[in-house]
Amino acid sequence: MALSTWLSVGVQAQSAWSERMVESVMRWHPDSIVVGGKKTALWNYEQGFVLKGIERVWTRTGHGRYFEYLRQNTDRFLDKEGNIRTYKRSDYNLDHVASGRTLLTLYQKSLPDRTRYRQAADRLWAQLGQQPRTPEGGYWHKQRYPHQMWLDGLFMAEPFAAEYSALFGHPEHFQDIARQFALIEARAVDEKTGLIYHAFDASRKEPWADPKTGRSGQFWGRAVGWYAMALVDVLDYFPADHPERKTLIGYLQRLAPVLLRYQDASSGLWYQILDQAGREGNYPEASASCMFVYALAKGTRLGYLPATYAAAARKGYEGVLSSFVKEETDGTLSLHQTVSVGGLGGSPYRDGSYEYYLSEPLRTNDLKGVGAFIFASLEMEIAAGSRVGEGKSVLLDTYFNREFRPGTSGQPEPYHYTWDDQQHSGFWLWGTIFRDLGAQTRSLPEVPTAGTLAGADVYIIVDPDTPRETAQPNYLEATHRAAIRTWVERGGVLVLMANDTANCEIPRFNQLAGLFGIRFTDKNRNRVQGSQFEQGRIDIPAGTLIFGQTRAVYIKELAPLALAAPAEALVTDQGDVILARAKYGKGTVLAVGDPWLYNEYVDGRKIPPHFQNFRAAQELSAWLLAQVPAR
């Protein structure tokens, strides 16, 4: 299917390629992911790479079975103390660190045994602490490859290290992460082409190494692909105020035009050996092409690269679909023309020559290509979807709702309806939906004023605290209400989410809501006993404003609304107003009596799949952003 056709078939089809490939993986490997020709599953970067892609498809779809597949494939390797089956630290192999990203994902979720994921991640972190290094501080790729830095190693180690550092309070380590990239830029980048050699040997002793520079002899596509992916993924966790963040973005900006220079003009693809497209034996290679599509598309989406690079990503992706992807008769997808491996040294010895890289066999459905295809497809699906949030900011109150729990670094951390909280209690997944729509998500931990609300397009206030929840709650006072009303009148989009009266400071919240003709009542409905989820069902008729495809949602223990002008009901159930809006000046107010879009009821892991809370979150987010007046 041509990309232009694929882009035109609507929202449902936009997730088709990433999701269909995930479904294919789950059919090939119904119990556990087995790499290559192995007979049993091993702790391996290929399996971790694919699982990370499956994780992201889960966050794009809300299908809980993807999360369960991720969890089960990881659990197979762990005992109760977080020891990792088939992993040996003494190998000091950076490849073994890459799968640690799934450990960090699982640790942050509400799971009864999540401590063991932290313990397993700690073991990989300990490996990095003892990893052998070159004299300049670069990680050896493996213990058995002394003094050698490979491009592959940047992807294997650094995204894990960056997320671990951010999650567990190691800000000092970001300097070391930056140093690994700086050494590659200084030692492996070719001055003439701007391309990057696969590796360099700091000792200059390997036969494959140039005796003066230590560099290997070829620009291997997938190696450069690993490096490009490492850059855009590390930046997800690199502190915004860290002085080296701009340096890393600069590396991506240096590399991007080089990638365009070596992109095949006809097919949009990249070759196995990047700078020798016309040489006999060379061929367009699937994994590298997908990796470059991903890095260029993500770099463009996040503003690291100019918007013009999106066209190169689209062209590359169209080439991937037309040249490498095949739909099989059983409904699965196949990805063709991924090179099986590329290395240096070892036994038999790999000399890094052009002939060597062209001698490695090609595989269909090699997991390195499949994982890269899932990553690339996700980015292209985000790009092809609605970008109604482009240039807009969604502000979440953390002043009136301000609760704390013991944090991962030993210090109290805010939680409960926050963007960063990935457990059941958080809005992390809702924030991901907003960000995929192009919006920026921020938090407001101080009082709303004309100054603090400036630049916000959507402002969400959820479940203001009572003394029962917070020792010294911050209350909505008259000055706050006045500032919010003025902000709405000038075009702001305000979202008010209450809770049942026992868990929300309703009286003052109602004074704010009343400015717009809305009152949260004392009634508490949809009380759900245990797992009798139907007691929380709200049906949404066809034709309801906001919800074009959502037909049933789960909302428990909510406060129905009483309305006066200018408010109007949007969703009602059994005579109760569940959701309402009010137009006020140039702005919009939306109110609902429960914070029903927190992770527990959106991520597909708990409630039955016929409840469409994830779909509702997507539709509501797009609608809220669309209410922002044009500037």
Side-chain angles (χ1 to χ4, degrees):
M1 181 185 296
L3 187 63
S4 57
T5 304
W6 172 74
L7 294 178
S8 68
V9 295
V11 174
Q12 281 289 93
Q14 287 176 10
S15 63
W17 295 110
S18 64
E19 194 171 351
R20 288 181 65 190
M21 185 58 82
V22 167
E23 293 286 349
S24 300
V25 170
M26 292 169 65
R27 288 182 64 178
W28 305 332
H29 306 283
D31 298 317
S32 58
I33 294 178
V34 179
V35 176
K38 302 291 192 300
K39 294 184 178 180
T40 59
L42 304 174
W43 185 258
N44 183 282
Y45 74 92
E46 294 186 44
Q47 149 240 339
F49 187 35
V50 171
L51 289 179
K52 190 66 181 176
I54 292 175
E55 173 197 329
R56 189 67 177 94
V57 174
W58 165 60
T59 66
R60 282 280 291 172
T61 63
H63 296 331
R65 67 182 183 277
Y66 298 150
F67 178 86
E68 285 306 307
Y69 187 82
L70 162 71
R71 183 188 64 78
Q72 291 171 14
N73 266 270
T74 305
D75 284 355
R76 293 180 185 279
F77 292 95
L78 304 184
D79 65 16
K80 294 181 179 180
E81 288 74 41
N83 295 300
I84 306 172
R85 182 174 60 84
T86 77
Y87 163 75
K88 288 174 59 179
R89 184 192 302 181
S90 59
D91 290 342
Y92 290 104
N93 184 342
L94 291 184
D95 290 346
H96 293 161
V97 176
S99 292
R101 298 176 74 180
T102 63
L103 299 173
L104 299 179
T105 292
L106 293 168
Y107 175 73
Q108 294 176 78
K109 304 300 184 285
S110 293
L111 292 167
D113 54 354
R114 71 190 193 99
T115 301
R116 64 189 179 129
Y117 303 118
R118 165 73 189 268
Q119 293 170 326
D122 288 345
R123 289 177 167 81
L124 300 178
W125 177 257
Q127 175 190 321
L128 291 180
Q130 300 172 0
Q131 188 78 10
R133 294 175 182 251
T134 69
E136 294 178 297
Y139 290 140
W140 292 8
H141 190 64
K142 301 179 184 180
Q143 174 76 41
R144 63 192 183 99
Y145 295 145
H147 312 293
Q148 299 170 35
M149 284 193 77
W150 294 19
L151 296 188
D152 321 33
L154 277 293
F155 182 82
M156 303 304 159
E158 303 314 326
F160 167 83
E163 185 174 5
Y164 187 101
S165 298
L167 184 59
F168 299 123
H170 294 280
E172 75 288 346
H173 189 73
F174 286 102
Q175 192 65 37
D176 193 64
I177 292 171
R179 172 167 51 176
Q180 305 304 312
F181 288 93
L183 287 171
I184 291 297
E185 290 288 318
R187 300 288 177 247
V189 174
D190 179 59
E191 295 82 2
K192 293 181 180 180
T193 64
L195 290 169
I196 314 174
Y197 291 98
H198 184 180
F200 75 90
D201 171 20
S203 71
R204 277 79 166 168
K205 294 180 179 179
E206 283 292 326
W208 56 255
D210 182 283
K212 293 183 179 179
T213 66
R215 297 167 176 170
S216 59
Q218 303 296 327
F219 305 117
W220 180 39
R222 186 158 72 226
V224 181
W226 288 128
Y227 182 76
M229 290 187 75
L231 275 171
V232 294
D233 281 8
V234 158
L235 287 167
D236 289 344
Y237 311 103
F238 223 85
D241 58 353
H242 196 285
E244 294 300 329
R245 181 179 176 84
K246 290 184 178 179
T247 304
L248 293 176
I249 294 172
Y251 297 155
L252 181 63
Q253 293 171 341
R254 181 203 66 75
L255 179 60
V258 176
L259 296 181
L260 264 62
R261 193 177 309 137
Y262 291 96
Q263 183 179 24
D264 183 65
S266 176
S267 67
L269 301 172
W270 285 265
Y271 275 68
Q272 164 76 341
I273 301 300
L274 291 171
D275 65 329
Q276 301 184 54
R279 188 170 173 181
E280 183 179 356
N282 206 1
Y283 56 87
E285 200 275 329
S287 65
S289 295
C290 290
M291 289 174 177
F292 295 142
V293 167
Y294 171 76
L296 293 172
K298 184 175 181 180
T300 301
R301 174 171 63 87
L302 296 178
Y304 308 142
L305 299 174
T308 52
Y309 284 93
R314 285 194 298 270
K315 184 174 183 178
Y317 191 61
E318 184 170 7
V320 167
L321 292 177
S322 61
S323 298
F324 302 138
V325 177
K326 180 182 178 183
E327 300 183 68
E328 302 294 348
T329 56
D330 64 358
T332 61
L333 298 181
S334 291
L335 183 78
H336 296 260
Q337 208 153 309
T338 297
V339 66
S340 57
V341 71
L344 295 162
S347 180
Y349 196 81
R350 298 169 294 185
D351 64 4
S353 65
Y354 177 86
E355 290 73 20
Y356 158 69
Y357 284 106
L358 272 296
S359 71
E360 293 289 7
L362 295 171
R363 288 181 181 162
T364 296
N365 296 332
D366 183 278
L367 294 180
K368 297 177 287 294
V370 166
F373 176 78
I374 295 171
F375 273 70
S377 296
L378 285 163
E379 279 300 326
M380 297 311 299
E381 289 155 15
I382 293 172
S386 171
R387 301 295 287 170
V388 66
E390 205 76 60
K392 298 173 184 176
S393 176
V394 181
L395 190 63
L396 177 63
D397 162 69
T398 55
Y399 180 77
F400 303 115
N401 182 271
R402 183 174 170 270
E403 298 178 66
F404 292 87
R405 67 186 173 200
T408 55
S409 61
Q411 300 299 315
E413 67 178 12
Y415 85 111
H416 213 198
Y417 315 131
T418 68
W419 296 138
D420 293 331
D421 183 2
Q422 295 193 30
Q423 295 189 46
H424 279 338
S425 50
F427 275 157
W428 169 78
L429 194 50
W430 194 19
T432 301
I433 291 170
F434 274 122
R435 291 186 290 273
D436 282 355
L437 290 168
Q440 178 189 26
T441 54
R442 300 185 293 122
S443 299
L444 183 60
E446 52 191 321
V447 297
T449 66
T452 58
L453 293 175
D457 297 291
V458 179
Y459 178 38
I460 304 172
I461 305 177
V462 186
D463 188 21
D465 292 334
T466 66
R468 176 181 172 182
E469 299 167 297
T470 303
Q472 295 181 314
N474 297 318
Y475 293 125
L476 262 162
E477 305 293 0
T479 54
H480 310 145
R481 296 194 297 272
I484 294 169
R485 178 177 60 185
T486 300
W487 175 81
V488 172
E489 192 172 32
R490 293 175 177 173
V493 178
L494 176 66
V495 180
L496 304 176
M497 298 178 120
N499 210 331
D500 58 275
T501 54
N503 293 302
C504 182
E505 203 294 306
I506 293 287
R508 291 176 180 83
F509 204 26
N510 264 338
Q511 291 178 10
L512 172 62
L515 298 175
F516 312 106
I518 300 168
R519 178 171 64 85
F520 299 101
T521 68
D522 294 334
K523 182 178 179 180
N524 184 4
R525 59 161 287 170
N526 282 27
R527 291 178 177 270
V528 177
Q529 297 175 324
S531 59
Q532 297 183 48
F533 296 110
E534 288 303 310
Q535 294 174 344
R537 184 184 182 109
I538 300 290
D539 289 306
I540 299 179
T544 300
L545 185 69
I546 299 176
F547 302 113
Q549 299 181 44
T550 303
R551 292 295 169 264
V553 297
Y554 177 83
I555 312 179
K556 70 179 184 69
E557 297 186 26
L558 73 152
L561 308 174
L563 306 180
E568 60 179 321
L570 297 182
V571 176
T572 61
D573 186 78
Q574 299 178 20
D576 289 328
V577 178
I578 306 301
L579 187 135
R581 73 157 178 181
K583 300 297 291 185
Y584 190 85
K586 296 180 180 179
T588 303
V589 179
L590 182 131
V592 61
D594 189 77
W596 59 297
L597 296 180
Y598 48 100
N599 299 329
E600 184 174 11
Y601 299 120
V602 178
D603 67 11
R605 295 171 49 205
K606 184 171 184 177
I607 60 176
H610 64 268
F611 290 114
Q612 297 172 287
N613 286 34
F614 184 87
R615 169 74 66 184
Q618 290 179 310
E619 294 188 319
L620 177 61
S621 301
W623 183 85
L624 291 171
L625 292 166
Q627 304 315 298
V628 177
R631 293 186 178 89

